Amino acid sequence: MFTGIITDVGEIVAVEEKGSARTLAIACSYPADSLPLGASICHMGICLTVTTLRQEGERTLVTVDASGETLARTTLGTWPVGMPVNLERSLRIGDELGGHIVTGHVDGVAEIVSREDRDGTAWFVFRAPRELAKFIAEKGSVALDGTSLTVNGVDGDTFTVTMIPHTLQVTTWGAARAGDRVNLEVDMMARYAARLAEAKAEGY
């Protein structure tokens, strides 16, 4: 589990294609001695397992594997060497829950329709896949590229989000622009509430 509060921005330093899968090497600032093999790290909203790690100067280099299912459901298949990535380590009992509960299981890919900057704050309009739009509600939460964000408004399959200067500075969102595709995870509670309503309507 994660909270959607980004704690580091890493960099992809190598990509290896392995048939329908992919292995990525990512440099980050997390101390190597604090990351056990098998640790879960959220990469741009995707929970991936650390398979190797080593210290390289002031950075730690970790490798992660992505399956064909992950590549099909997320933006990971298009990530190039040199790309910055939002990172978050898994939540530990007793940690502050500053965002909302994020699983790292991406539901689909949304698109940035527009971005408007006002006094350092960015106003984004996103388009969600039609089958996921019903799970997005005004003043509810979404995770976009691993970042916990509050929905300002909803209009059909589009929704708006505002990002403060701090978020733009400490994540990859500062460079985001219209046309970019982003990983979307809808709020877990919204998903279960919708399923309960469907089950009730079906007589279960």
Side-chain angles (χ1 to χ4, degrees):
M1 292 290 185
F2 306 91
T3 68
I5 303 299
I6 305 305
T7 53
D8 189 26
V9 176
E11 179 188 1
I12 299 174
V13 296
V15 176
E16 182 182 356
E17 306 292 345
K18 293 185 175 179
S20 63
R22 247 187 171 204
T23 295
L24 296 90
I26 297 171
C28 66
S29 65
Y30 300 134
D33 59 7
S34 72
L35 284 174
L37 286 178
S40 294
I41 298 178
C42 197
H43 299 70
M44 299 294 275
I46 308 166
C47 178
L48 298 170
T49 300
V50 174
T51 55
T52 69
L53 72 158
R54 67 176 185 272
Q55 195 76 37
E56 284 200 351
E58 296 182 353
R59 301 196 300 179
T60 296
L61 192 68
V62 304
T63 58
V64 294
D65 295 324
S67 68
E69 168 69 10
T70 299
L71 297 177
R73 191 177 287 271
T74 72
T75 62
L76 193 150
T78 64
W79 295 357
V81 171
M83 173 181 158
V85 289
N86 293 325
L87 300 176
E88 182 190 356
R89 297 185 61 174
S90 56
L91 182 65
R92 294 177 294 184
I93 299 298
D95 282 352
E96 180 178 349
L97 184 59
H100 72 285
I101 293 295
V102 175
T103 65
H105 302 156
V106 172
D107 293 298
V109 175
E111 180 185 355
I112 301 176
V113 176
S114 64
R115 170 179 176 167
E116 181 181 351
D117 289 272
R118 309 176 194 169
D119 300 323
T121 298
W123 299 69
F124 288 90
V125 177
F126 296 90
R127 175 168 288 110
R130 185 170 297 275
E131 67 275 13
L132 297 177
K134 64 183 178 181
F135 299 116
I136 300 173
E138 184 174 344
K139 302 308 177 186
S141 297
V142 291
L144 296 171
D145 276 351
T147 312
S148 174
L149 296 162
T150 300
V151 177
N152 291 340
V154 177
D155 182 9
D157 62 354
T158 65
F159 62 99
T160 58
V161 166
T162 304
M163 297 190 201
I164 63 173
H166 176 77
T167 301
L168 299 173
Q169 292 166 6
V170 301
T171 69
T172 61
W173 285 104
R177 61 187 186 279
D180 287 351
R181 299 166 70 247
V182 299
N183 293 316
L184 166 66
E185 180 184 331
V186 299
D187 185 27
M188 182 168 54
M189 290 189 294
R191 188 188 299 118
Y192 280 114
R195 178 56 189 141
L196 287 170
E198 290 173 359
K200 184 177 180 180
E202 294 167 1
Y204 290 107

